[in-house]
Amino acid sequence: MITVAKNLFTEVLGKLNIYYEDEAILAFAVIAGLYLFVSEKELRKKLIYPVLLMIFVVLNPVVYYVLKDSFKSYWRIFWLIPDIIIIALAISKLVNSQNRLRNKLFMMAFVTAVIVFLGADIFAGEEFGKRTNQYGLSETAVSVADTMLSADESPRCICPHNMTWHMRAYNANIETMYGRDIEGYIVYTDYQRSSVSKALEAEEPDYDIVLKAAVDGGFNFIVAAEEHPVDDVTLFQYGFEIYKNTCGYNIYMSNGQSVYMPVEESEEE
């Protein structure tokens, strides 16, 4: 029993470590909390003790065990911890504790410099980049969307999951098999769609799974990385052919001549 609890607690700490990828922020929050605890006695019952109780709950192995299977994004529970509020409040109290204006300005400048130095530039991440289209969307997703729309006014496609919300925001006539739900953040995705996403984006894609799902579901476009092309035999079997290539992706379009018989038709027979 103790071993199980220990393993669960280790899992929770692992998720906490992922959530606080920038450990400096976590350290800053702890120091700010200690400062408020020592210097602001009236805040102990109003803020510090409730926060400690909240931390006890979200890091509790029992709570994690109950929720882990029904709530995949357990790290989102860590949003309940008001770390940023604690940091901001501690800074405000620290600055206001200075008697002279110049001391307050110096303290504010010092704390700001510490935050900037310890923090990370979020705009340096891979998900951020200069957009040249008026929509502020991924250039790759927009290019792929335009390519499909040039052949079909209402394309139905299976594509890498990180393109889906960009394409849907760009043109609502585009129907994708899945969206952000495939990540389990919002709602659960059924096994079939999840397996299709994994098969498409694997290091060695399983295009039999992807193309079979496309034919069964009536999807007429497949978007796949150009470094992993679909072989001609598989394309012929499922009635697809290469349409165009753009931004490092091959776009395959159905020609309506599938040798494979869809599930619905085979069941009727």
Side-chain angles (χ1 to χ4, degrees):
M1 189 70 177
I2 296 177
T3 303
V4 174
K6 183 179 179 181
N7 292 336
L8 288 172
F9 185 62
T10 301
E11 288 184 33
V12 175
L13 289 181
K15 294 183 180 298
L16 183 69
N17 185 52
I18 294 174
Y19 178 73
Y20 285 105
E21 184 177 2
D22 189 344
E23 296 179 354
I25 298 298
L26 177 59
F28 211 155
V30 172
I31 294 173
L34 290 174
Y35 171 77
L36 291 175
F37 182 83
V38 172
S39 64
E40 304 291 335
K41 293 183 179 180
E42 71 278 6
L43 287 178
R44 292 180 183 179
K45 291 184 179 180
K46 296 179 180 179
L47 179 65
I48 303 302
Y49 292 148
V51 169
L52 290 176
L53 177 61
M54 194 177 299
I55 292 174
F56 172 77
V57 171
V58 299
L59 296 183
N60 193 304
V62 176
V63 175
Y64 174 68
Y65 177 77
V66 172
L67 296 179
K68 69 172 186 174
D69 292 330
S70 59
F71 190 60
K72 291 184 179 180
S73 305
Y74 189 82
W75 58 267
R76 289 193 170 191
I77 293 182
F78 300 145
W79 287 346
L80 293 172
I81 303 174
D83 45 8
I84 303 302
I85 294 176
I86 290 175
I87 292 174
L89 183 58
I91 292 174
S92 298
K93 294 290 185 180
L94 180 61
V95 172
N96 287 330
S97 67
Q98 305 302 309
N99 296 323
R100 296 184 178 181
L101 177 59
R102 67 177 184 181
N103 291 344
K104 291 183 178 182
L105 293 175
F106 172 80
M107 185 60 69
M108 191 65 202
F110 172 75
V111 173
T112 302
V114 171
I115 293 175
V116 172
F117 178 75
L118 294 179
D121 182 5
I122 63 171
F123 296 107
E126 294 181 358
E127 63 272 25
F128 292 96
K130 185 177 181 180
R131 309 299 190 198
T132 58
N133 61 72
Q134 60 180 321
Y135 309 99
L137 300 171
S138 164
E139 297 292 339
T140 299
V142 170
S143 179
V144 169
D146 282 336
T147 302
M148 293 189 297
L149 289 167
S150 67
D152 189 335
E153 292 183 355
S154 302
R156 306 184 74 232
C157 72
I158 299 176
C159 64
H161 77 281
N162 59 358
M163 283 189 189
T164 56
W165 51 89
H166 289 278
M167 291 199 291
R168 287 287 297 165
Y170 177 62
N171 192 309
N173 288 333
I174 300 174
E175 181 181 346
T176 59
M177 175 176 276
Y178 40 74
R180 288 204 68 185
D181 59 320
I182 203 69
E183 299 174 351
Y185 289 166
I186 305 171
V187 294
Y188 287 109
T189 303
D190 59 83
Y191 173 79
Q192 194 256 357
R193 290 194 298 159
S194 178
S195 62
V196 171
S197 175
K198 292 178 180 178
L200 178 64
E201 300 185 54
E203 292 185 6
E204 295 183 5
D206 189 335
Y207 288 121
D208 274 314
I209 292 177
V210 177
L211 290 169
K212 182 179 178 180
V215 175
D216 288 342
F219 291 90
N220 58 339
F221 285 96
I222 301 293
V223 181
E226 64 180 2
E227 61 264 27
H228 299 297
V230 186
D231 64 88
D232 293 337
V233 174
T234 303
L235 288 174
F236 174 77
Q237 180 181 1
Y238 294 100
F240 275 78
E241 59 189 15
I242 184 72
Y243 176 58
K244 286 184 180 180
N245 175 286
T246 182
C247 298
Y249 287 91
N250 288 331
I251 301 175
Y252 302 93
M253 184 171 65
S254 173
N255 57 22
Q257 301 177 8
S258 173
V259 176
Y260 163 76
M261 183 174 293
V263 171
E264 293 80 8
E265 294 183 18
S266 60
E267 288 179 348
E268 288 178 0
E269 288 189 357

